[in-house]
Amino acid sequence: MTVHLHWFLPTGGDGRTLVDRHAYTDGGVGRSRRGPVSGVRAPDIDYLVQIAKAAEHLGFEAVLTPTGTWCEDAWLTTAALAQHTERLKFLVAFRPGVISPVLAAQMAATYQRVTRGRLLLNVVTGGDSTEQRRFGDHLDHDRRYARTGEFLTVLRGAWRGQPYDFTGEHYQVEGALTALPPDPLPEIFFGGSSPAAGPVAAGHADVYLTWGEPPAQVKQKIDWIRELARERGRTVRFGIRLHTISRDSSREAWATADRLLGDLDAETIAAAQEALGRSESVGQRRMLALHGGSRDNLEISPNLWAGVGLVRGGAGTALVGSHGEVADRIEEYHELGIEHFVLSGYPHLEEAYWFGEGVTPELAARGLLTKIPASPLLGVPDASGRPASAPGGAPLLGGGGR
């Protein structure tokens, strides 16, 4: 079993610090700051194209595109980016509560034909009732997951190529159909840590996606979903969502983490923690519990840093260390059963190069990748067949500063 590496498209804005993410829009966190923040990069199409091209060039299989109020629409943005790339797949996040499952099936089928099979789906049930109501969704947490289960049943039914009828609590369809089913069928990525989420993942997901908790906690989740899937006669594969700070030495990596932490004042952290603490998401509560809102003891497991979660919702941990140390941690998660690694870093363009030119060769040398992209940027292979690093160990940038 080899690993699948994916990157992230920051469609809510990007920058050189953790607080920059909340500067393009406030990210749901009220802040008193006025005026522009240095180094902010708006998610315009030109910048996102740079990231998509870099990800493709560096051998990432796909890029995750988020969904929600504070980012651009994932379907439209990735459809545009598909015209600027050739092989890169797009892991499109969307919320089933705001779209018909039959329309989603049709959109996915069209997307597959337009992009020649480059769509993956990330189904996000939603853990924030305030945002759900913003889109007209008034169901509570557990009923949202029940609806997601019905949604995925109808979605797959509409892909069968013949009329499909379904009657449930949330959906009633007659003759649901996509005239030309998608080929191939998009893989469905799905996450959720609550008791309501587990059966939905076990019954419908191709890949169960967890946020980056310490290995022991991740193993508990894998065992939980694997057993639920076994009871349903299914198998589910597993993925993890993490940030990365990988450098030529451990010292350099932790210095970067310290710089990111140094940009966060107490007021910003407190405001973010207050907002995030209102989330109904069990996964979000697990993320918050890793650091408790404190700057102290943020290395919660070897090379696993919880500093990102002080201000960022969702994925709140980063792998921090030398390229070899980050590869060690990926190998450790892989041994637990994780196949898909959905990664990101600040800024996303530069960190893609740090990882792709530093960690990817390490993983290839360990036999965890089937191949590494051939690229003149990676230099001439040495005697072991491992590509040489960029001159001076620095990433070769497609644009912007480090």
Side-chain angles (χ1 to χ4, degrees):
M1 180 178 70
T2 57
V3 302
H4 300 267
L5 300 176
H6 313 290
W7 198 243
F8 184 83
L9 283 173
T11 57
D14 199 9
R16 295 192 299 271
T17 75
L18 298 179
V19 295
D20 285 350
R21 180 178 182 272
H22 302 300
Y24 178 69
T25 59
D26 74 1
V29 178
R31 299 170 65 239
S32 60
R33 187 190 297 272
R34 292 289 183 268
V37 178
S38 174
V40 172
R41 303 174 192 175
D44 58 61
I45 196 68
D46 291 336
Y47 181 59
L48 295 177
V49 165
Q50 288 188 65
I51 297 174
K53 283 181 171 288
E56 182 171 73
H57 175 79
L58 292 164
F60 290 100
E61 182 176 331
V63 284
L64 170 64
T65 309
T67 185
T69 300
W70 311 108
C71 53
E72 303 287 14
D73 177 77
W75 292 95
L76 294 174
T77 301
T78 57
L81 295 176
Q83 308 309 303
H84 297 272
T85 53
E86 297 178 1
R87 301 175 306 280
L88 188 69
K89 296 179 182 179
F90 296 94
L91 180 49
V92 174
F94 73 99
R95 295 181 179 173
V98 299
I99 187 174
S100 155
V102 181
L103 176 59
Q106 184 183 41
M107 291 168 63
T110 300
Y111 198 111
Q112 287 295 62
R113 285 188 289 279
V114 169
T115 65
R116 296 179 176 85
R118 292 194 277 151
L119 176 66
L120 305 170
L121 293 177
N122 180 30
V123 177
V124 180
T125 298
D128 183 345
S129 287
T130 299
E131 181 160 36
Q132 296 299 124
R133 290 193 297 270
R134 186 177 293 135
F135 287 92
D137 180 9
H138 293 269
L139 294 185
D140 62 26
H141 177 276
D142 287 2
R143 291 182 69 203
R144 289 198 296 268
Y145 276 101
R147 180 183 57 197
T148 296
E150 290 190 8
F151 180 100
L152 292 173
T153 297
V154 175
L155 179 80
R156 291 192 186 276
W159 282 342
R160 298 190 313 171
Q162 55 187 1
Y164 176 76
D165 296 339
F166 178 85
T167 299
E169 179 183 356
H170 303 282
Y171 297 104
Q172 299 83 40
V173 299
E174 298 178 6
L177 178 69
T178 49
L180 294 174
D183 184 20
L185 295 180
E187 289 185 295
I188 293 175
F189 288 64
F190 176 89
S193 300
S194 69
V200 179
H204 299 279
D206 296 305
V207 178
Y208 175 79
L209 195 58
T210 180
W211 287 327
E213 298 178 11
Q217 295 179 31
V218 170
K219 183 180 185 303
Q220 291 175 350
K221 278 190 174 182
I222 290 174
D223 291 344
W224 170 49
I225 297 298
R226 186 172 279 156
E227 176 59 23
L228 288 175
R230 186 194 63 78
E231 293 171 359
R232 290 159 175 78
R234 299 186 73 242
T235 58
V236 176
R237 288 170 286 119
F238 297 92
I240 194 167
R241 176 78 180 90
L242 288 158
H243 305 282
T244 66
I245 304 174
S246 174
R247 296 294 185 269
D248 295 334
S249 70
S250 182
R251 179 183 58 79
E252 292 175 88
W254 285 107
T256 300
D258 289 342
R259 179 184 62 76
L260 291 172
L261 186 62
D263 289 332
L264 304 178
D265 57 47
E267 179 185 359
T268 298
I269 293 175
Q273 291 298 293
E274 181 183 1
L276 295 172
R278 294 193 293 268
S279 173
E280 298 170 321
S281 166
V282 173
Q284 182 62 71
R285 291 202 294 269
R286 291 170 69 108
M287 282 283 101
L288 295 177
L290 295 177
H291 53 69
S294 171
R295 295 170 176 266
D296 301 326
N297 302 315
L298 288 172
E299 189 178 2
I300 56 175
S301 184
N303 304 106
L304 185 65
W305 183 66
V308 180
L310 292 173
V311 292
R312 186 197 193 281
T317 53
L319 298 178
V320 181
S322 67
H323 305 311
E325 288 171 337
V326 171
D328 288 341
R329 301 286 76 79
I330 289 176
E331 189 168 11
E332 182 178 12
Y333 282 118
H334 178 257
E335 289 173 353
L336 298 178
I338 298 291
E339 292 182 53
H340 292 265
F341 291 81
V342 184
L343 308 171
S344 56
Y346 297 93
H348 289 75
L349 181 61
E350 288 90 321
E351 288 297 336
Y353 276 97
W354 276 115
F355 186 94
E357 294 180 346
V359 182
T360 299
E362 288 274 356
L363 297 173
R366 301 178 191 201
L368 294 177
L369 293 174
T370 55
K371 63 180 179 179
I372 185 171
S375 166
L377 286 182
L378 293 176
V380 179
D382 62 19
S384 69
R386 177 179 167 185
S389 64
L396 296 175
L397 305 179
R402 196 158 69 244

